[in-house]
Amino acid sequence: MLKGPAGFGLIMNVTMNLILGLVLSVIVLATIQGLPGNEGLPIFTPVSYFVAVLQATIVGVFVGDIFPALQWGQKLAGAFHIKNKLGAHFITSLVLAFVMATCITFLCMFLNNFQTGGMPLVIGAWLAIYPPALACAYPLVLVALPLVMKMATRISGFDPTAMHAPEAPSNLAPQA
């Protein structure tokens, strides 16, 4: 189940979103706890943190299955003709962090606030937590992505960087 390209993708998606969920949940809950009027409320508790991590991870895996943000980042780096691996990694990570942080935070704010406050509360809460979440997501993805890719490669036995274009037929080989 965890072998090959499908296993690699599953491991990448779940692991990156668990990491994002663990960190973004701290940022979101701390930001909401610090809003005026919320200082004394039990917003950032062990239970709320656990629920936020679970929700963010599940939402992130869903988003990761729908939007190929990693490939979008790689294509953008290619469109800019960036040959340097480090430069390509910075662009790829930026796109991945932007897509995932935007979608995860917005969908979680929707799930947590729409029923009680409608879209005005969803948008207001999202605007309060989005800047710090986005600012945190980029360096997090920048550091975690290569580590998670190595782990996913080891576990799945699939290395996407080892994929080569098919060789051109040789003039010496018999043609069918």
Side-chain angles (χ1 to χ4, degrees):
M1 178 175 155
L2 295 178
K3 296 297 179 190
F8 177 87
L10 178 63
I11 294 164
M12 283 288 300
N13 194 12
V14 170
T15 306
M16 281 302 298
N17 281 299
L18 179 59
I19 292 168
L20 282 167
L22 287 166
V23 175
L24 290 180
S25 294
V26 170
I27 302 299
V28 168
L29 291 172
T31 301
I32 292 172
Q33 184 73 65
L35 291 175
N38 288 349
E39 299 90 296
L41 298 175
I43 293 172
F44 196 161
T45 66
V47 172
S48 67
Y49 177 69
F50 174 77
V51 170
V53 169
L54 186 62
Q55 182 184 49
T57 303
I58 291 169
V59 167
V61 169
F62 172 75
V63 169
D65 277 346
I66 291 176
F67 300 116
L70 181 66
Q71 290 84 1
W72 289 347
Q74 291 166 338
K75 286 181 181 180
L76 182 61
F80 286 137
H81 305 290
I82 298 173
K83 304 290 186 209
N84 179 299
K85 283 186 179 184
L86 186 60
H89 174 63
F90 273 82
I91 298 294
T92 300
S93 296
L94 180 66
V95 172
L96 181 61
F98 174 76
V99 170
M100 297 309 291
T102 301
C103 293
I104 291 169
T105 56
F106 186 81
L107 288 172
C108 287
M109 290 302 102
F110 180 83
L111 292 171
N112 291 322
N113 297 302
F114 183 75
Q115 188 174 3
T116 56
M119 283 310 286
L121 183 57
V122 171
I123 299 296
W126 183 68
L127 289 174
I129 59 95
Y130 183 61
L134 185 60
C136 178
Y138 181 57
L140 180 63
V141 170
L142 201 60
V143 170
L145 185 60
L147 302 173
V148 173
M149 287 183 91
K150 286 179 186 174
M151 182 189 74
T153 298
R154 277 195 205 115
I155 293 171
S156 70
F158 175 75
D159 184 0
T161 62
M163 295 174 48
H164 300 294
E167 293 182 23
S170 167
N171 290 339
L172 302 175
Q175 299 292 317

